[in-house]
Amino acid sequence: MQSESIKMNAEIYLNMPSVPAGAILYRIVQQQHLLQTTLAQKSGLIPQRINDLIMGRRRFTPQNSFMLEQALNISLQGFFYKIQANHDIYQAQLAEHQPKPNLSILTPTTFWDVDLKKLEWTKCQDWAIRRVLEYGTKEEIEELHRFYGHDAFAKIKENSKGFMLYDVALKNLKTVGL
């Protein structure tokens, strides 16, 4: 009966790309009332590896996926590995559809310490505006002004005391009419 339940849930889990494989492993371990150390003994993996997989610090390999499937009586081959692949695809699609400024205008000189393609522009709005106001070109300032809007720049101006290059930032705020 328990094997039947795992198989039904396995099909459901395979169709949940927004959930990482480690979270699903954690859920299955909880459902089976197992300790991670017990699962480690049953699977032949070290307890730290089990914990790293659950916490997302390590990726599933076909080998450790197979070992865990056997220990948990999951009959779908490559179960955790497939879930991880589905989640990776989901994450890539999300990243592709994230709004971003015109990256061809932004220079590595201004953003020397980050990969512009990997930046989550909506999450780092204040940082990006501050960076471009202190170190950016007129074109970069105008591009981020277009992308984030006038209100975002006005909000930064209200808190302008935190700038490292205060005079430069205030001068550059005039570029966008503030």
Side-chain angles (χ1 to χ4, degrees):
M1 182 71 175
Q2 185 177 1
S3 178
E4 182 81 18
S5 170
I6 292 172
K7 186 169 182 144
M8 287 176 37
N9 285 339
E11 294 295 331
I12 293 169
Y13 292 142
L14 284 169
N15 292 310
M16 296 171 58
S18 64
V19 181
I24 291 173
L25 174 58
Y26 178 77
R27 176 75 176 135
I28 292 170
V29 167
Q30 294 297 309
Q31 286 175 335
Q32 292 191 18
H33 307 289
L34 287 175
L35 296 173
Q36 289 180 29
T37 53
T38 306
L39 178 58
Q41 290 169 345
K42 288 175 79 175
S43 67
L45 295 170
I46 61 173
Q48 183 61 44
R49 179 68 38 90
I50 302 285
N51 190 262
D52 286 347
L53 290 166
I54 287 173
M55 300 305 292
R57 290 186 294 259
R58 284 196 178 258
R59 298 180 54 75
F60 286 86
T61 64
Q63 183 62 31
N64 60 29
S65 180
F66 177 71
M67 293 167 81
L68 289 167
E69 292 156 21
Q70 283 187 319
L72 296 168
N73 296 319
I74 297 172
S75 61
L76 297 171
Q77 285 188 331
F79 175 68
F80 292 107
Y81 192 68
K82 289 175 184 175
I83 290 172
Q84 179 177 273
N86 289 343
H87 185 67
D88 289 348
I89 292 166
Y90 172 79
Q91 294 285 54
Q93 289 172 332
L94 272 183
E96 186 65 31
H97 292 90
Q98 289 291 324
K100 52 185 124 197
N102 182 347
L103 299 181
S104 67
I105 295 173
L106 304 178
T107 64
T109 305
T110 303
F111 296 96
W112 66 87
D113 56 344
V114 295
D115 183 345
L116 293 174
K117 293 176 184 156
K118 292 183 181 177
L119 208 58
E120 293 185 41
W121 290 95
T122 53
K123 288 185 180 179
C124 66
Q125 173 180 312
D126 289 355
W127 171 84
I129 292 171
R130 286 178 176 278
R131 174 65 65 92
V132 83
L133 285 173
E134 289 182 305
Y135 303 104
T137 64
K138 180 179 185 238
E139 292 78 19
E140 290 175 310
I141 295 166
E142 289 171 348
E143 174 55 20
L144 287 191
H145 185 260
R146 179 202 63 77
F147 179 71
Y148 289 121
H150 195 74
D151 290 345
F153 274 72
K155 183 180 117 190
I156 294 295
K157 183 179 181 182
E158 289 174 17
N159 301 318
S160 61
K161 297 290 184 211
F163 284 107
M164 298 277 289
L165 304 173
Y166 181 75
D167 294 336
V168 173
L170 287 183
K171 183 183 113 201
N172 285 334
L173 277 165
K174 291 178 183 169
T175 310
V176 292
L178 289 171

